[in-house]
Amino acid sequence: MATRSGASRTRTTPPVLLSVETPADSRGGALVMLVIVCPNCGPRNDNEFNFRGEVIPRPSVDTDPATWRRYLYMRGNTSGWQRERWFHVSGCRRFLNIERNNVTNEIRMVAEVGGDTT
Amino acid sequence: MSRYRLDPQPGEVIDRSKTVSFTWNGRRYEGFEGDTIASALAANGVRVLSRSFKYHRRRGLLTATYHDPNAMVQVGDEPNVRAAHQVLNEGMEVSAQNVWPSLSLDLKAVNQLVSPFLSPGFYYKTFMAPRALWPWYQRVLGRFAAGGVVNPEHHSAEYDHRYAHPDVLVAGGGPAGMAAAIAAAESGASVILVEEEPALGGHLRFGDDGDLQALANLRAAIEAQTAIEVMTDAVVAGRYDHNWVSVVQRDMAHVEERLVLARAKHLIVAAGTLERPYVFKGNDLPGVMLSTAARRLTNLYAVKPGDKAVVLTANQSGDAAVADLERAGVEIAAVLDARNGETVVEASGRKGVQTVVDSSGKRTDADLLVTAIGWTTSTALLNMAGDRPVYESRAARFLSSSLPLNVLATGGLVGDGTTDQLIEHGSAVGRAAARRAKTVKATWQGATSHAAPGEIPTLDVDDHPELFRSTTHGFVDYSEDVTSKDLLAAAEEGYDSIELAKRYTTAGMGPIQGKVEAVNALAVHGEAIGASLLETSTTTWRPPYAPIRLGTLAGRNREPLRHSPIQPWHERHNAKPLVAGQWIRPDHYGDPEAEVRAVRSGVGIIDVSPLGKIDLRGTDVPRLLEFVYVNKWSKLQVGKVRYGVMCAEDGVIMDDGVTGRLGHDRYMMSTTSGGAGGVWNWLDDWLQTSFPEWDVKMTAVTDGYASINVAGPNSRELVGRLTEIDLDADRFGYMEVRTGTVAGVTDCFLWRIGFTGELSYEIHVPAGYGLWLWENLIEFGDDLGVTAFGVEAQRIMRLEKGHFIVGQDTDGLTQGFGVGIDWAIKMDKPDFAGKPELAWQKERGGYPRLVAVQTDDPTVVPPEASQIIDASEKIKGRITSSRHSPTLERSICLAQVEEGLAQGGQRLNIRLPDGTTVAATVMADQAHFDPEGTRLRV
């Protein structure tokens, strides 16, 4: 079991044993099919969800173009643990915050937006 | 009965009471039910099954399994059938592939004579120049390519997909896999057990009496377990994230193949080992086969593989082969024990093995040479699970090293042992897997504590000599005709990385994909560069493990189609279907221009049910509308509708439509048909992630209402015949909405809008009454000449009015100010989606504009996407919509042009696809017809 970093949060799902995973470079296939344990619907295949990517706060509309375009186009492209947003479009239609290791595909936190602390 | 068919054998799988006849290269043969194509041929004394890829050498059975590189044949319409796996069926027409004119006299075998020239890279080096000759080279070389014949007329069969959710999936049905499945099931897990061969058992199937007894016990235990689903003649093709496992079930009763997509809570890999061929001169002659192949033939199919054998053995399998062959009446001319340093140097013969030369120089006459020099671990699934198998020189094979918590390995991937030891290990793994599967299940249900994974016993490894190549050179890759000499030559030429050498020589790139040859290639290449590659590298196996038909991947066509409730009427009236995303809509009913004239002069009705409809309720709906639309909504009165445009955060137009206020806190938003889903998600995104405190309740009701637009000067008369709602022009004005009863149906709403440019009422009726309302409109409008019109007529009329269509007249770069809706974009609103980009767009200027364009020659209708060019042929814009207008009796267009060309009266040149140019003028108004909108406000 990989270690969990950060405090556990309200309405989160616990770390999923199933998602204790392997280095991405050892898996050749383009097909990725994760199990996401939706807090409302339970374990579901990732093709029920929209991936919305990194969570990026929206700047004020009075901001300068450079800041706004960072919001539109620039991504941290972290290797490792990432906080990202998914939309359970074919399920409960709730937006979720997920902490996923994009190298191993381990998922350690799934919570409705607003249901966790950030 | 043929002299090659033995008396009944204890483990035989053939049914001697049932004869099966088939043809081989046109000649009729007989086998028994249970035979494979290859075993039936062997029983008839046929030893040559194919010609090799490059040199067209005769080839016979090598592994006698699915993965036999020499046993691919054509069966009827189907090429590349694995003859050593495919069970014989009555009437099969089997023939050899890649031979000309025949298998026995293959003229392409002259390639052998020039084999020194067919060295690695031969094609690249030889056919490079002159370049102009390449098409000719390609045609000639194509004739030499391997493979069977595809019949383009072949009737495509049915393929299935199935989803499965086992607690434990076991890949491999040998003793360890079977024991694992039984133990997991006994521990309460639901199990899928997958075996590539037609029956469970692995090597026990062709083993001795003790093996057969153990197999019978295991089979009985599995039979008794209802929690185990057995899939034989099926293969685990891939393992993906979170144990998403694909299984291909072959040769099903009602479908050609079935793809099982399984989410296994735990995976057990029990794929075992494949026997490895030995590299020496003549190692591909018919009659040279692996010990497991000889034992399969004798023990499973009761076929005598030859008359006089030399056996090279380094392990128990070779020793067992000696015993089996003796029992089968094969004369054992010599046994070479590799454990004592004895080996084979050369096999020779014309059509098959005739003489074997051993390491002492002794020549022995034999028609069968059996080798048992070691095992290759089937590590593909381990690789896909992230394992990096490690080469264990003591065992002369790779073994599993590290696996994630949801995968375990057992059997030959882990070590060796007696049948009892394998069963014991498999059982322990099965129990552990069931335990872990339970933990996964509990975690999915919200549990936070995990059970310990539990200890797995280890399995010892038998000592085995490392044997790859003799002192002579021979074939490493049988399917690609790559020899050990070729690999050494490649290294000499500088291909010192196995990855490069592999691609240069194509070793491992044939239909067997390295399963049989990869380890030998690694060993030989390592020999060339003076390093043991086995110890420093591993091959990375990617899915699929075995070939999958394209039809299997595709499965059945399950693309959903959407029809409006009025579809039966459309079909009865010969509507030409238009595919619009998932919707099938009437494009027209025969003559779209006549439909336009009918609407403009009288009244027409169109089914606009696919229009997106979102019911919005709550006190904060105006705030939401203010945010997602570019225009203002806060002062929208009850009973009014307004047109709105939505932009994304980059200012690009994403959708448009009208929204009406039906009650104090009740609104109905309409979207484009194609944008309905996207807008719904867009609103949900803002409401959930940015404005959760807003009081807005949203319901998508696109399918809940059928929508009919009644358009034309007589539309008020027609709608008035069906409703008590007051339609008086002064009391129900343009851009207003009313709710009420229409044609006796309550809970309708209708709004007065004008996409077509005519007086029109869009009636939204609960979907179940859509057809009723439509038929009422047709019936009550009969004397008014009511005409059904389709999407094409609507598109013509909206173009006459200069109304743009998002995605047709806009593209992925069209920001709000580019389409002539500057009046609607309210930059004084404090915030709305895309606002900063729109501010900068306006400030920057220089963006393309959407304008109405008319050609000088009214008969020319420039095709959409025709380019607008200037005098120096520079592209300045393009035609986005173009039609012949029956109302104006001329061609009309919308176009995106550069800012400098957007003024009314501007002259343009339009380049047509045939290269000619037509002159045109930008119109002063975006509407070609009735720019003042007087027809709307009657």
Side-chain angles (χ1 to χ4, degrees), chain B residues 625 629 631-633 635-644 657-662 666-670 732-739 749-754 760 762 764:
Chain B
L625 299 176
Y629 282 124
N631 48 332
K632 282 212 174 149
W633 293 85
K635 294 199 174 66
L636 187 73
Q637 300 298 308
V638 174
K640 296 280 185 187
V641 300
R642 193 167 283 176
Y643 170 76
V658 297
T659 291
R661 188 170 183 186
L662 272 51
R666 186 182 171 204
Y667 295 76
M668 185 66 73
M669 173 185 283
S670 71
F732 184 178
Y734 179 56
M735 297 306 272
E736 290 191 348
V737 59
R738 297 290 180 270
T739 54
F749 64 93
L750 57 166
W751 47 40
R752 195 183 146 187
I753 55 170
S760 73
E762 200 156 280
H764 304 272

Side-chain angles (χ1 to χ4, degrees), chain B residues 588-919:
Chain B
H588 57 77
Y589 302 86
D591 183 353
E593 295 208 356
E595 291 167 16
V596 170
R597 284 189 290 268
V599 172
R600 294 258 185 254
S601 63
V603 61
I605 57 174
I606 179 172
D607 178 1
V608 291
S609 300
L611 209 65
K613 288 161 290 254
I614 299 172
D615 184 308
L616 297 165
R617 300 182 194 213
T619 53
D620 289 316
V621 173
R623 294 172 81 177
L624 176 68
L625 299 176
E626 288 272 316
F627 187 82
V628 296
Y629 282 124
V630 296
N631 48 332
K632 282 212 174 149
W633 293 85
S634 50
K635 294 199 174 66
L636 187 73
Q637 300 298 308
V638 174
K640 296 280 185 187
V641 300
R642 193 167 283 176
Y643 170 76
V645 172
M646 287 184 196
C647 290
E649 286 280 68
D650 56 4
V652 172
I653 295 172
M654 58 176 281
D655 207 71
D656 68 346
V658 297
T659 291
R661 188 170 183 186
L662 272 51
H664 189 260
D665 287 336
R666 186 182 171 204
Y667 295 76
M668 185 66 73
M669 173 185 283
S670 71
T671 75
T672 61
S673 305
V679 170
W680 186 26
N681 296 348
W682 177 246
L683 300 189
D684 243 328
D685 194 344
W686 289 112
L687 287 173
Q688 289 182 42
T689 66
S690 298
F691 310 115
E693 69 282 7
W694 285 1
D695 172 28
V696 178
K697 279 153 197 85
M698 176 166 64
T699 315
V701 293
T702 302
D703 297 316
Y705 288 94
S707 305
I708 300 168
N709 192 299
V710 186
N714 290 332
S715 58
R716 181 176 291 125
E717 169 65 25
L718 174 54
V719 176
R721 294 177 183 182
L722 291 168
T723 183
E724 296 297 311
I725 295 169
D726 187 355
L727 302 179
D728 182 88
D730 296 329
R731 289 184 292 274
F732 184 178
Y734 179 56
M735 297 306 272
E736 290 191 348
V737 59
R738 297 290 180 270
T739 54
T741 300
V742 181
V745 183
T746 55
D747 298 319
C748 296
F749 64 93
L750 57 166
W751 47 40
R752 195 183 146 187
I753 55 170
F755 195 46
T756 56
E758 296 296 327
L759 169 70
S760 73
Y761 298 87
E762 200 156 280
I763 309 173
H764 304 272
V765 54
Y769 294 101
L771 185 56
W772 161 260
L773 175 58
W774 181 272
E775 286 178 336
N776 265 272
L777 286 163
I778 293 285
E779 190 188 329
F780 283 82
D782 191 39
D783 60 313
L784 299 171
V786 64
T787 302
F789 64 105
V791 174
E792 176 60 18
Q794 189 190 42
R795 287 198 154 211
I796 294 171
M797 285 187 276
R798 70 89 203 175
L799 182 57
E800 290 174 340
K801 284 292 293 178
H803 294 149
F804 68 90
I805 294 177
V806 176
Q808 162 92 28
D809 303 294
T810 73
D811 56 44
L813 293 173
T814 309
Q815 293 178 304
F817 284 107
V819 291
I821 54 153
D822 301 20
W823 53 270
I825 305 176
K826 301 297 184 202
M827 296 309 293
D828 57 340
K829 288 199 291 182
D831 190 3
F832 61 90
K835 182 186 175 191
E837 288 293 349
L838 293 177
W840 297 323
Q841 183 197 13
K842 190 149 178 83
E843 196 180 300
R844 196 170 61 235
Y847 45 87
R849 306 296 159 90
L850 191 66
V851 293
V853 168
Q854 289 186 2
T855 52
D856 290 2
D857 180 347
T859 64
V860 175
V861 184
E864 285 165 0
S866 293
Q867 285 162 355
I868 292 162
I869 54 172
D870 65 10
S872 60
E873 307 246 312
K874 249 190 110 201
I875 297 168
K876 295 289 183 185
R878 66 173 203 283
I879 301 293
T880 59
S881 290
S882 184
R883 288 289 188 281
H884 174 261
S885 160
T887 311
L888 301 172
E889 294 183 320
R890 59 153 300 123
S891 65
I892 53 171
C893 305
L894 276 176
Q896 275 197 26
V897 294
E898 283 187 5
E899 187 178 33
L901 302 179
Q903 292 306 311
Q906 172 71 42
R907 300 286 293 155
L908 299 175
N909 287 316
I910 302 168
R911 171 61 48 84
L912 302 179
D914 66 3
T916 59
T917 305
V918 291

Side-chain angles (χ1 to χ4, degrees), chain B residues 94-257:
Chain B
V94 187
S95 56
Q97 298 186 161
N98 189 27
V99 291
W100 184 79
S102 72
L103 181 63
S104 52
L105 175 70
D106 184 355
L107 291 181
K108 288 190 266 188
V110 295
N111 276 6
Q112 283 181 81
L113 305 178
V114 295
S115 72
F117 305 105
L118 289 178
S119 58
F122 165 74
Y123 292 99
Y124 315 132
K125 292 168 185 166
T126 312
F127 298 107
M128 283 291 286
R131 242 190 134 70
L133 279 183
W134 176 244
W136 182 80
Y137 288 148
Q138 208 176 10
R139 267 204 308 282
V140 173
L141 293 176
R143 243 174 257 167
F144 277 76
V149 181
V150 175
N151 176 6
E153 307 298 316
H154 181 77
H155 173 70
S156 92
E158 293 261 42
Y159 298 90
D160 257 348
H161 283 183
R162 175 192 155 189
Y163 291 83
H165 306 270
D167 292 331
V168 175
L169 189 139
V170 184
M178 292 170 86
I182 295 163
E186 284 171 350
S187 306
S190 63
V191 181
I192 290 179
L193 172 59
V194 184
E195 167 55 43
E196 181 164 35
E197 304 223 355
L200 290 172
H203 68 267
L204 296 183
R205 294 176 68 215
F206 46 86
D208 60 21
D209 290 345
D211 291 339
L212 291 175
Q213 188 52 53
L215 176 54
N217 295 343
L218 287 168
R219 279 184 180 163
I222 283 175
E223 197 75 21
Q225 265 297 348
T226 50
I228 303 177
E229 179 180 1
V230 178
M231 296 180 181
T232 51
D233 200 359
V235 64
V236 177
R239 184 271 181 193
Y240 307 88
D241 295 276
H242 298 188
N243 274 350
W244 181 243
V245 178
S246 60
V247 181
V248 180
Q249 285 185 282
R250 300 177 179 131
D251 226 1
M252 308 280 294
H254 302 292
V255 292
E256 204 94 345
E257 277 187 352

Side-chain angles (χ1 to χ4, degrees), chain B residues 15-21 28-33 88 90:
Chain B
D15 182 348
R16 291 172 189 255
S17 67
K18 290 177 183 150
T19 305
V20 179
S21 48
R28 197 168 163 278
Y29 287 94
E30 282 185 349
F32 290 126
E33 196 170 290
L88 194 64
E90 179 64 34

